[in-house]
Amino acid sequence: KQEVTQIPAALSVPEGENLVLNCSFTDSAIYNLQWFRQDPGKGLTSLLLIQSSQREQTSGRLNASLDKSSGRSTLYIAASQPGDSATYLCAVPPSNDYKLSFGAGTTVTVRA
Amino acid sequence: GAVVSQHPSRVICKSGTSVKIECRSLDFQATTMFWYRQFPKQSLMLMATSNEGSKATYEQGVEKDKFLINHASLTLSTLTVTSAHPEDSSFYICSANSGTPFGTEAFFGQGTRLTVV
């Protein structure tokens, strides 16, 4: 069974600082890894999808890396803004299944 | 990205009644949709996989007679919470993939906050 861990559970930074969010998973035989953002009381917004053959994916200020062999992914958010305050979740489907296993999330607060 | 619409966003119902939640893929067809439940300050728990034209598959511990799923078309799946009780109060979220669920991007609805009084 795929176990997904996100560290830290919470993070508070001043505006402008870069954010580093970590995700680790136990089964490296994966199709892909997806990062999501969830605002309080809302659904999930897809941020980045990294295929198992890729090492990183970028979208604007967001960059996600994937090291399959070590079972790790890192989400970098450059020059954080108060609007980046949310919970960030990573999710991984194993290669023999399509069901997503989620981490517990990292709750980010960016202080103005 | 693709859009998944979930309705209603909030619902309050009396104990013993049933509530239906709709999940629609607006700009793509989804043969498979997923239903999750999320408790406060916890991550998502997969409840069931909804398959168009066939029965849903439920995760271990999820009562299929309590949580009825119907996937009658390629763009609509519904979750009906039957004989709701206060312990069913939760946040329910659906998702769908824009192609085969294997290896493609998952898109989520806005979620439904169910409160049973």
Side-chain angles (χ1 to χ4, degrees), chain B residues 103-117:
Chain B
T104 59
E105 191 171 3
F107 297 96
F108 283 75
Q110 308 94 315
T112 297
R113 170 71 60 191
L114 170 63
T115 303
V116 184
V117 298

Side-chain angles (χ1 to χ4, degrees), chain B residues 13-113:
Chain B
C13 71
K14 291 185 178 180
S15 187
T17 62
S18 296
V19 173
K20 181 184 285 188
I21 303 169
E22 292 187 348
C23 180
R24 294 181 184 273
S25 56
L26 296 187
D27 50 1
F28 65 98
Q29 295 182 330
T31 56
T32 306
M33 290 185 175
F34 303 89
W35 288 96
Y36 296 83
R37 184 172 179 175
Q38 187 176 32
F39 293 99
K41 298 192 183 300
Q42 294 188 29
S43 194
L44 280 71
M45 179 190 79
L46 180 65
M47 298 174 63
T49 302
S50 172
N51 303 296
E52 189 268 336
S54 65
K55 292 183 179 180
T57 54
Y58 292 81
E59 295 301 301
Q60 191 173 8
V62 177
E63 299 176 60
K64 62 180 181 181
D65 295 329
K66 157 71 80 175
F67 299 100
L68 298 180
I69 292 173
N70 184 279
H71 195 150
S73 78
L74 288 171
T75 59
L76 174 64
S77 175
T78 60
L79 168 68
T80 301
V81 182
T82 62
S83 187
H85 290 284
E87 56 265 30
D88 298 324
S89 298
S90 192
F91 192 60
Y92 295 87
I93 315 176
C94 68
S95 77
N97 293 60
S98 58
T100 168
F102 287 92
T104 59
E105 191 171 3
F107 297 96
F108 283 75
Q110 308 94 315
T112 297
R113 170 71 60 191

Side-chain angles (χ1 to χ4, degrees), chain A:
Chain A
K1 181 187 174 186
Q2 182 73 274
E3 301 285 344
V4 183
T5 303
Q6 290 188 247
I7 294 174
L11 189 58
S12 179
V13 300
E15 182 176 4
E17 194 164 299
N18 296 332
L19 291 164
V20 181
L21 310 180
N22 298 298
C23 172
S24 62
F25 45 94
T26 53
D27 183 355
S28 62
I30 62 171
Y31 271 117
N32 55 43
L33 184 144
Q34 200 164 351
W35 282 94
F36 295 93
R37 167 185 173 140
Q38 185 175 30
D39 293 290
K42 305 293 184 182
L44 276 63
T45 300
S46 177
L47 297 175
L48 289 168
L49 172 71
I50 313 176
Q51 298 295 348
S52 61
S53 58
Q54 297 176 310
R55 293 194 63 85
E56 68 176 330
Q57 191 70 255
T58 298
S59 175
R61 293 185 294 113
L62 276 60
N63 174 276
S65 65
L66 175 63
D67 184 343
K68 247 183 54 171
S69 60
S70 66
R72 295 184 182 185
S73 177
T74 302
L75 177 67
Y76 301 91
I77 303 177
S80 62
Q81 303 168 359
D84 295 328
S85 298
T87 296
Y88 293 82
L89 297 158
C90 69
V92 185
S95 61
N96 62 348
D97 200 351
Y98 46 71
K99 298 177 185 178
L100 294 178
S101 295
F102 280 87
T106 295
T107 299
V108 171
T109 302
V110 180
R111 308 185 303 272

